[in-house]
Every structure is written in C-alpha cells, then in structure tokens.
Amino acid sequence: MLLLLPFYFLAAVCVSAWLFFPALRTSTLRGIRACLHGLRRGVVRSTERAGGTVGGLGKGTAKAAGGVGAYLKRHRWQTAAVVLVVSLPTLFAFLMRHNHTFVYETDLRNPNVQIEALLAGERLVPPPPLPPEAFTTAEVVMVRPNIVTASRKWELLDPDFTQRLLLVYQIMREQYGYEMVLIEGYRSPERQQELLDKDGPVVTNAGAWQSYHQYGLAADNAFLRDGKIVISEKDPWALRGYQLYGEVAARVGLTWGGNWKFADFGHVEYRKPGIKLGTPPPSH
C-alpha cells in the first residue's frame, strides 16, 4: 500500500496542474482532440487505410506529449516545487515506517462489555466448600498428592482476583455446563518451597515468593462431575473443559497456565499491577 502513495500524489500533481494552469490545460485538450480526431478518421476509413489512422493517432499523442513537455520545461522550477511539497508526506511515511514515534495508549478496558459490567457491579459469592474426603479420592491424590493439605480459603485471596475467578466459575457453569471447584488458592512461601524441593516440575517450577500463589493472586481449579472432582486432562471431558476455562479466564483478564511450556491446566493467576514476584508484600 505504501508503494502506491507516490503514484497517487503524482496523479494529484498532474490533475492540480491541469486545473490551475490554463496553458497546460489548453495543450492537453488540443492533444486529446487530435487523438479523438485521428480515431474518428480511423473508423471512417477503410481497413486498408488503418495505418493512416494509427499515424494520425500517434501524431496527436506526440503533439500532446510535446505540449506537456514544453510546458514543464518552461515551468520546471514551479513543477519541481509542487512535486516536492506533495511528495513530502510519502517520503516522511517511508522514512518513519520502522520508527515508534507514534505511540498509542493501549486500551486497558475489558473488551467484553458484559464482563466489565459484572466485575464493576454484582459481588459474586464463593460456592460452599466441599467435604475434605472429596480431595482424597484415588484420582485426585494420584495427580496432586499434596492437595489434601492445600488452602482453599477464599478469604485469603486478593478480592479483585476472587471476583474474576468467580466470574469464570459462573460463565463456565451457565454457558458450558461445567461446575468448577477450587483445589488450592493461597500458598505460603514455606509450602511453595517445600513443593519445589519435594515434587519439582511435577507440581511447580517456582520457589518461595516466585509464584502468584503467595500473593493470593493464583488458584488451581478442577471440575465437578457427579459430585466427584475430575482433575486429569487425560479425561476428554475435562480436557475440553480446561480449554474453555482457559478462554474464559483470558476474557476476564487472567493468565491460564495451560498455555505454558510445562502446561498447568488448572492454574490461573492475576498479574496485578504493582506486584513484583520475589518481593514479599509489606504485611509479611
């Protein structure tokens, strides 16, 4: 598209010159008339005399071109000035094509108006807690052996993060029919370091104060099916749920762990401005 701009401005210069300079306009019209006259003669003449028509047309075209050339030669400085002025925007755009002089402020508002309104309005309430034995089934323990001692206290989570996560729960339930459950929320720095030392990449790659769990800004979640927790993505139903969960989380401003190199499908976190990993908050 950028390459077409010089042709556009050249055409603009020619049209402007034709409109504002009578001599050029007269020469151009004379040339056009000569061309039309030659064409008309060609139609009237027989096929044998078609060569004469082409000659007349060529003479008319040459005459018009000669008129334009003569005019430009007489007014070469004026023409050069007009071309330079009109071409400046194109030249500037070409030179600045890789420059970041123009900085546009990113619109930080949530693009989904309905979600934005919900976050600003109704305060969602956490679901009632599940009985402890729901977290001790063979499937859950096999995937997350240390989940029994995890914190699931919603009040320890950041209020903004809590509302966003609960909104995810609501959308997943109402739009997709998936009931979700919190399996771990706030995680102390001591527990974080213990998980890293004991289980490593199986559970986490982060040490103390290197995870948003320590700031109440992260949570691990799973699904409920027939009253039982389904946590493994090897279950096709759960895998589909995790994919939808990741999409919904992104819509409300959360980061989904399923997009990471070492995918953590149940994990979401809120990268709240002002929070710097590795630095304990003032209250600690």
Side-chain angles (χ1 to χ4, degrees), residues 27 30-32 34-35 54-70:
S27 299
R30 188 181 300 116
I32 292 175
C35 290
V54 174
L57 183 61
K59 290 179 181 179
T61 304
K63 187 176 181 180
V68 173

Side-chain angles (χ1 to χ4, degrees), residues 84-202:
L84 178 61
V85 170
V86 177
S87 301
L88 280 177
T90 303
L91 181 61
F92 178 76
F94 179 78
L95 294 176
M96 299 299 292
R97 67 192 187 281
H98 297 308
N99 192 290
H100 299 284
T101 301
F102 303 107
V103 179
Y104 299 93
E105 182 179 357
T106 304
D107 187 356
L108 298 178
R109 295 175 300 173
N110 196 303
N112 191 310
V113 178
Q114 180 183 9
I115 291 176
E116 187 175 343
L118 287 172
L119 287 172
E122 177 188 2
R123 305 304 293 177
L124 301 175
V125 178
L130 294 178
E133 53 268 23
F135 299 91
T136 59
T137 62
E139 179 191 358
V140 174
V141 173
M142 180 178 62
V143 179
R144 295 290 294 269
N146 297 301
I147 206 67
V148 177
T149 56
S151 171
R152 287 176 282 276
K153 295 181 179 180
W154 286 88
E155 61 270 19
L156 296 181
L157 298 178
D158 178 89
D160 291 339
F161 172 60
T162 296
Q163 289 302 304
R164 291 171 188 270
L165 182 56
L166 289 175
L167 186 53
V168 172
Y169 276 34
Q170 178 177 307
I171 295 173
M172 288 294 293
R173 180 177 62 254
E174 296 179 355
Q175 294 188 15
Y176 303 113
Y178 280 87
E179 195 73 38
M180 301 202 69
V181 58
L182 175 68
I183 60 175
E184 183 167 12
Y186 171 77
R187 186 183 293 162
S188 69
E190 292 78 18
R191 176 176 170 80
Q192 183 71 46
Q193 191 62 47
E194 179 184 351
L195 290 175
L196 176 64
D197 295 338
K198 185 177 180 180
D199 300 310
V202 176

